[in-house]
Amino acid sequence: MAEKNSNSNSNSNSNIKKVVLAYSGGLDTSVILKWLQDTYNCEVITFTADLGQGEELDAARQKALKLGIKAENIFIDDLREEFVRDFVFPMFRCNTIYEGEYLLGTSIARPLIAKRLIEIAKQTNADAICHGATGKGNDQVRFELGAYALKPDIKIIAPWRQWDLLSREKLLAYAEKNGIPIEMKHRNGGSPYSMDANLLHISYEGRHLEDPNNEAEESMWRWTKSPEDAPNTPEYINLEFQNGDLIAINGEKLSAANLLAKLNDLGGKHGIGRLDLVENRYVGMKSRGCYETPGGTILLKAHRAIESLCLDREVAHLKDELMPRYAEVIYNGYWWSPERQALQALIDQTQQTVNGTVRLKLYKGNVIVVGRSSPTNSLFDPTIATFEDDGGAYNQADAGGFIKLNALRLRIGAKAKNK
C-alpha cells in the first residue's frame, strides 16, 4: 500500500479538497489518480493537453470516467496552435539549442502545461495541482517553477516524491488491486522506452538506452526514415519568414501548428532530425536520450540562413553569445522568469528585420541551404562584395590603415617580449 504522506506545502491531507492532475491516461497517471483519491480523499480534476503527440486523447477521457471522474471535471484541451505560436516560435527566434545539440522539445512544452494547470485550478477553485514527473528528472522542476511563478501560493503534489510505488511491478500491482485498466503493453513487459511527444519532437529514454554505448535500434524511431532508406532524389523547399517567424512553406501560408506539422512530414520523409545525446540534467545527473525533431531541425537551419542576410554582424554575434544562456534558462524550467522575459524582449527586437525566403535542399538526413533572399531587409551589397570591378564602392587601400590600427597592440606586445 502507498504511503499516506501529506503534501509538503500543507499541514495535513485534509487541507486539500480538490486537485488538478496533469493526466495522460497512461499507467502512471491513472495510478496517481486513484492514489490521490485514496490518500487525500479529494475531488480530482484531470487535464490532458493535446500538443500534437498524435495519440487518441478521447481514450484518456473514457479512462477518467471509468475511474469515477465527473464529466465536467475532465479537461482535454487542444493547445497545438498556442504551443507553436507562443512557445516554439519565440524559442527558435534565438536559434536555441542546449549543449550544442538538443532542440529542447520536452523543455518548451512544460511551461505551457504548467500555465494551463494553473488556469484550471483558478477556474475550478482547486487547492492543488499534481504531476506525474519523477523525482530524478527535470520535468518536476519545470512544472513546479512554472506553477509557482504563475500562482505563488499553489500547493503541489508530486507522488513520486511521496509514495512507495517506486517500481513498475508495484505500479502494476496497485493498478490491478484497484481495478485500474492496464494496457497489454504493460502486462507483456511494456514499451522498451519512456517516450514524450509533441509537435516539436519525440524523445526516447530508458531500458536499452540506459547504456550510453548501445546504439539505438532502428525499430525505435517513429517519425523519421533512416537516411539510408530516404529518397535518392533531393527535395527543394522554400521557407518564408516574417519578423523571424516562419509564415509559409512553398508559398502556402498556414497556421503555426500546421507549418511545423508539415515540416515534420518533410523532415521525416528525408531522414532528418535524429539525435543521440548524453545531456546534463538540472538535477545533477547525466542522462542519455534519443530525439526526433525533423521539423525543428529544418526550421533552425532556415532561420539562421535568413538571419545571416538580414542581421547586423554585432547583433548576430550578440545573439549567439546569449543563446546558450537562453537555452539553459528554458531547459532548467525558468520560462516564466524575469530573465527569460528580458532576453526574449531583446531577441524579439532583433527579429523585426528578419524577413525573407530561404531555399533548402533536403537529402538523406541533411538540410542544405542553397539560397536566401530578402527584398526589403538584406544587408548584402553585391556592389561592395563583388570580386569584379566595384566602380569605387569600396576603397581597398583603406584596409591598410584598418589593419595597422588593429595590429598596434599586437606589435607593442611583440616588442615587449623581444626586449
Side-chain angles (χ1 to χ4, degrees):
M1 184 64 182
E3 294 177 357
K4 294 195 175 185
N5 295 343
S6 64
N7 181 269
S8 59
N9 296 316
S10 61
N11 294 325
S12 68
N13 292 355
S14 62
N15 290 345
I16 295 175
K17 302 297 184 183
K18 189 183 293 187
V19 177
V20 183
L21 168 65
Y23 181 69
S24 69
L27 174 65
D28 290 14
T29 54
S30 294
V31 168
I32 288 172
L33 194 162
K34 176 62 177 171
W35 178 86
L36 286 171
Q37 294 170 330
D38 289 346
T39 305
Y40 289 88
N41 192 28
C42 63
E43 184 177 6
V44 178
I45 298 162
T46 64
F47 159 57
T48 307
D50 182 359
L51 297 175
Q53 56 265 49
E55 298 175 351
E56 177 51 62
L57 297 182
D58 192 58
R61 182 191 306 276
Q62 297 307 318
K63 201 166 185 180
L65 288 170
K66 288 180 181 177
L67 292 170
I69 305 302
K70 299 175 183 177
E72 61 269 24
N73 284 346
I74 299 173
F75 290 77
I76 299 179
D77 298 338
D78 185 347
L79 302 178
R80 289 174 293 178
E81 186 64 23
E82 182 180 2
F83 174 53
V84 180
R85 181 192 66 225
D86 297 343
F87 293 83
V88 174
F89 277 6
M91 181 176 72
F92 271 79
R93 291 174 205 148
C94 195
N95 303 317
T96 312
I97 49 176
Y98 178 68
E99 296 189 333
E101 295 187 275
Y102 175 39
L103 290 170
L104 296 169
T106 298
S107 314
I108 195 60
R110 296 336 190 199
L112 175 55
I113 294 172
K115 170 178 174 282
R116 189 66 186 124
L117 279 169
I118 293 301
E119 288 173 348
I120 295 171
K122 290 178 179 179
Q123 178 182 336
T124 60
N125 294 315
D127 307 297
I129 62 169
C130 178
H131 62 77
T134 75
K136 286 187 174 183
N138 296 310
D139 282 342
Q140 58 179 336
V141 182
R142 295 165 181 155
F143 286 134
E144 295 181 34
L145 287 177
Y148 286 133
L150 297 170
K151 196 175 189 304
D153 59 345
I154 190 67
K155 295 181 177 68
I156 298 175
I157 301 172
W160 282 96
R161 301 201 301 258
Q162 296 178 230
W163 64 17
D164 63 352
L165 305 176
L166 299 178
S167 70
R168 180 178 165 277
E169 290 71 22
K170 288 184 177 181
L171 286 174
L172 287 169
Y174 186 92
E176 292 198 12
K177 179 179 178 181
N178 290 279
I180 299 170
I182 302 171
E183 297 176 24
M184 287 304 297
K185 68 178 183 179
H186 294 298
R187 292 182 186 276
N188 296 334
S191 169
Y193 307 105
S194 171
M195 294 183 290
D196 175 78
N198 56 51
L199 263 176
L200 182 55
H201 89 155
I202 182 169
S203 67
Y204 308 88
E205 290 183 320
R207 298 287 181 90
H208 177 76
L209 299 177
E210 289 188 352
D211 182 345
N213 198 40
N214 287 338
E215 181 179 1
E217 300 153 317
E218 182 59 35
S219 60
M220 178 192 76
W221 306 103
R222 295 193 173 195
W223 285 7
T224 57
K225 288 187 177 181
S226 69
E228 296 91 338
D229 295 332
N232 293 323
T233 303
E235 182 172 357
Y236 290 83
I237 62 172
N238 292 294
L239 302 189
E240 183 180 350
F241 289 86
Q242 183 176 39
N243 296 333
D245 289 346
L246 180 66
I247 62 167
I249 301 174
N250 294 331
E252 182 183 10
K253 293 190 175 183
L254 299 168
S255 71
N258 286 329
L259 285 167
L260 185 52
K262 187 165 185 177
L263 284 184
N264 282 334
D265 290 340
L266 288 165
K269 172 184 173 183
H270 291 279
I272 292 164
R274 292 185 178 185
L275 175 64
D276 187 324
L277 177 69
V278 174
E279 68 198 64
N280 289 295
R281 285 182 177 172
Y282 191 29
V283 295
M285 69 184 73
K286 288 187 182 290
S287 171
R288 192 272 187 96
C290 290
Y291 302 93
E292 289 178 283
T293 319
T297 302
I298 296 171
L299 182 59
L300 177 66
K301 191 81 168 186
H303 185 259
R304 288 199 68 97
I306 193 62
E307 280 195 328
S308 73
L309 198 63
C310 299
L311 279 190
D312 170 80
R313 180 189 71 185
E314 295 305 313
V315 171
H317 291 182
L318 178 61
K319 281 188 77 243
D320 283 346
E321 291 171 14
L322 291 173
M323 184 279 288
R325 173 66 174 138
Y326 180 88
E328 189 176 80
V329 165
I330 294 175
Y331 183 86
N332 292 345
Y334 292 92
W335 176 266
W336 300 107
S337 68
E339 63 268 29
R340 200 283 306 178
Q341 293 168 356
L343 286 167
Q344 193 72 57
L346 186 153
I347 292 160
D348 292 350
Q349 172 67 26
T350 70
Q351 299 299 288
Q352 294 180 17
T353 60
V354 182
N355 304 297
T357 301
V358 178
R359 191 167 186 239
L360 302 169
K361 179 166 69 173
L362 311 180
Y363 183 64
K364 290 192 175 294
N366 295 294
V367 184
I368 304 163
V369 177
V370 296
R372 71 288 279 162
S373 66
S374 177
T376 57
N377 297 109
S378 175
L379 299 179
F380 184 89
D381 189 335
T383 64
I384 293 177
T386 181
F387 281 100
E388 306 302 328
D389 186 356
D390 61 22
Y394 180 89
N395 185 351
Q396 297 192 36
D398 292 343
F402 172 80
I403 294 167
K404 283 187 176 180
L405 284 174
N406 280 280
L408 181 59
R409 65 184 179 88
L410 304 178
R411 295 167 69 191
I412 293 171
K415 287 179 180 179
K417 287 180 182 177
N418 292 334
K419 286 182 180 180

